[in-house]
Amino acid sequence: MTKDVIALTERMPEPLHVLAGLLSGGPDKLVGTEGDGAVVQLCDEQGRPLVSIEAPLLVQVAGEAERLLGATPPPLPFWWTEARATTGVAEAERLAGTFAARLALLAGGAAWPPQAARNLAVVESDGVGVAPIPAAAQPAVDVLTDKVAVVIQDRPVVAMTAWLADAFRASANAGLGLQIVSPAGTTLSPAVRDTLGDWPSRWVVQDEREGYYDGRSGAVLAWQHGMFATVASPDATPTDLNTPVAATFQEVSETGERQLALTFRTAHPADDRLVLGGALEAVWSELTGAPPAGWGTAEPANLPWSPRQLTDVAFERAPEPSWFVVVGSPGRPGLATVRVTRTKAGVEEEVTLAFGYGADEVVPTEALTRVAEVLATRHNLLSMLVQIRKARRDLAVPPRFEGPGVPVAFVLGAEEVRRMPGDRARRTPLSQAPVPLGPRARPAMYYPLPGDPSDLAGWQEFERLVRHLKGA
């Protein structure tokens, strides 16, 4: 049975609805709170949590329940309430299911997954307890060692939920890696993949043949020395571990689906007139004909797209950095993460964006020059890299080899070009000459690259370009 249960309801769960759900373990169960009251917990007699319940979230963006759960939600707007059971306690899992079932019945809607929320009766849990929780643990953390925090996610898509975002922050603050364990068939949201980082953080996939393997590299893993680590090959040497790669990871089928991926940075003066998100909106509109559909500080993205509201949140959090997720409409899969930071120069936005295309759809590479010029002339572009990669149209990251993206263009903003000595930015060793963008006196530079996804010539050209621009 799943550890996470979610109620999707037409109406906001009222306090009495939540109370009725919390009584799924009987009236003698104790209630506690975490996260300044944002998380309510059903506890045992020792005060240790059995079920943790997140505050209800109003979702006003179409397609998020379908994308993340494969579920059909009530009509927009609807309420999303998550309950997470303590791992390894069967009664806790049944408590979470009964809580969600009662909430869905009283507030109108349904619970996900359906099989976890079929019983409305009180769950017998007398004498049930959980292992003591270390002080550094979060409600989303299932195992905590001196090296890593381990999170078990039994969901169709491992998304950057508020639970998981808390686990990322807690593990980073404690100097620990974060390891996400999921069953076969689960995918990652790009927001999680781009945040997960390097060793010892991993996406650990359960596998019938190998036991466990790394969902991003395919390396076979085993639990050893307090974390999931690579299994050494019998013929390993100190200089070549020869790590085995899971056979499941290598089972790749050609679907013809593609993704257009853009990573760009902009910098703005820090003044009262600044509105963030304008560069992302401009790119989205140029490539799809419409602005983004929604945004949020976690997944699901729950708010209709609004650069002004996004700016207000970033302003309230300053000088601390802010992180946002932005999504498109279901008809054109698109997802971006935006990191806003204060720098000496002002306010910097770092955007990672991808759009998905089917085998019979055309990737709009002809619009890239126009996109670059809009960013360079109107949004203080620093740099941008554009790639095409063989990957799923729905943007979900599978535990299979997808191959690297191939660069199709690189762009340097006008200020970066100005800082280059001489005419280095204008004269390059590439087969195609750069294209100046914007005013002739202060141009940005667009560098086209041979972006054929069938070979790596684009990376070779890109490496030559980078070495040249650095003066190497």
Side-chain angles (χ1 to χ4, degrees):
M1 185 179 292
T2 183
K3 308 296 187 298
D4 297 338
V5 182
I6 300 167
L8 307 173
T9 59
E10 300 172 3
R11 301 181 297 277
M12 179 180 179
E14 298 177 2
L16 287 177
H17 299 162
V18 176
L19 179 60
L22 290 172
L23 292 177
S24 57
D28 57 335
K29 285 294 167 283
L30 306 177
V31 175
T33 60
E34 289 287 338
D36 298 325
V39 178
V40 177
Q41 295 179 320
L42 191 65
C43 304
D44 65 7
E45 290 81 354
Q46 286 72 45
R48 297 173 298 194
L50 295 168
V51 177
S52 300
I53 300 145
E54 190 84 2
L57 181 71
L58 180 64
V59 177
Q60 305 174 65
V61 181
E64 286 296 88
E66 294 87 343
R67 178 176 73 90
L68 299 176
L69 301 177
T72 301
L76 290 176
F78 63 89
W79 292 88
W80 179 303
T81 307
E82 293 212 15
R84 180 171 175 81
T86 298
T87 303
V89 182
E91 287 78 3
E93 297 174 10
R94 290 198 290 271
L95 282 171
T98 303
F99 167 83
R102 290 185 175 188
L103 210 61
L105 178 67
L106 294 170
W112 176 92
Q115 67 272 18
R118 291 174 178 166
N119 189 2
L120 298 174
V122 172
V123 177
E124 179 59 43
S125 54
D126 290 341
V128 171
V130 298
I133 296 181
Q138 299 293 311
V141 173
D142 294 289
V143 178
L144 189 66
T145 74
D146 61 348
K147 298 181 178 68
V148 297
V150 179
V151 175
I152 300 173
Q153 292 276 273
D154 189 1
R155 305 166 72 131
V157 179
V158 177
M160 186 59 79
T161 61
W163 301 106
L164 196 54
D166 286 343
F168 270 108
R169 283 190 290 269
S171 58
N173 292 338
L176 303 174
L178 183 70
Q179 298 191 335
I180 300 171
V181 182
S182 68
T186 295
T187 61
L188 282 190
S189 164
V192 176
R193 175 197 59 197
D194 297 339
T195 308
L196 192 53
D198 299 321
W199 183 92
S201 297
R202 293 184 185 277
W203 176 24
V204 182
V205 180
Q206 294 176 315
D207 183 65
E208 291 184 355
R209 289 177 286 186
E210 312 288 355
Y212 299 93
Y213 70 91
D214 189 305
R216 296 186 296 172
S217 70
V220 177
L221 305 174
W223 182 260
Q224 45 192 329
H225 309 299
M227 65 179 180
F228 283 98
T230 54
V231 174
S233 173
D235 56 353
T237 68
T239 57
D240 183 8
L241 296 180
N242 195 17
T243 302
V245 176
T248 304
F249 181 79
Q250 302 177 66
E251 295 173 351
V252 181
S253 59
E254 176 58 54
T255 65
E257 295 181 336
R258 299 287 187 273
Q259 291 178 11
L260 179 64
L262 304 91
T263 303
F264 61 88
R265 295 165 49 240
T266 61
H268 316 276
D271 58 45
D272 295 337
R273 297 172 297 174
L274 174 62
V275 177
L276 300 170
L280 176 59
E281 181 177 290
V283 173
W284 213 295
S285 298
E286 288 286 346
L287 292 175
T288 71
W295 72 284
T297 56
E299 292 180 289
N302 66 309
L303 298 169
W305 174 245
S306 171
R308 170 52 64 186
Q309 291 181 352
L310 184 149
T311 303
D312 291 343
V313 172
F315 180 79
E316 291 172 1
R317 294 181 174 181
E320 295 299 316
S322 295
W323 182 94
F324 305 102
V325 62
V326 182
V327 298
S329 62
R332 168 54 60 216
L335 188 144
T337 58
V338 182
R339 184 173 176 82
V340 179
T341 54
R342 288 295 302 269
T343 66
K344 293 181 179 179
V347 180
E348 184 172 312
E349 291 178 278
E350 183 177 351
V351 178
T352 300
L353 167 64
F355 296 105
Y357 300 87
D360 57 347
E361 295 177 304
V362 177
V363 180
T365 54
E366 78 288 343
L368 293 177
T369 306
R370 186 170 67 252
V371 167
E373 184 155 21
V374 168
L375 290 178
T377 57
R378 303 179 192 174
H379 298 284
N380 302 311
L381 177 70
L382 297 178
S383 64
M384 179 172 71
L385 175 63
V386 185
Q387 303 176 56
I388 293 178
R389 56 185 179 224
K390 297 179 180 179
R392 291 170 50 145
R393 182 182 187 272
D394 64 5
L395 305 180
V397 182
R400 303 286 190 277
F401 177 76
E402 287 191 310
V406 177
V408 296
F410 180 70
V411 186
L412 268 185
E415 182 61 22
E416 303 301 301
V417 170
R418 186 189 68 81
R419 293 175 180 174
M420 291 278 176
D423 60 353
R424 181 185 298 170
R426 296 170 175 81
R427 296 182 180 274
T428 72
L430 302 184
S431 56
Q432 299 184 63
V435 179
L437 305 173
R440 295 182 60 182
R442 196 171 179 272
M445 286 292 165
Y446 179 95
Y447 302 93
L449 298 166
D452 183 358
S454 63
D455 60 47
L456 297 180
W459 277 117
Q460 295 168 352
E461 285 280 84
F462 179 62
E463 290 172 358
R464 291 175 60 197
L465 173 63
V466 171
R467 288 197 300 268
H468 169 79
L469 294 176
K470 290 182 175 181

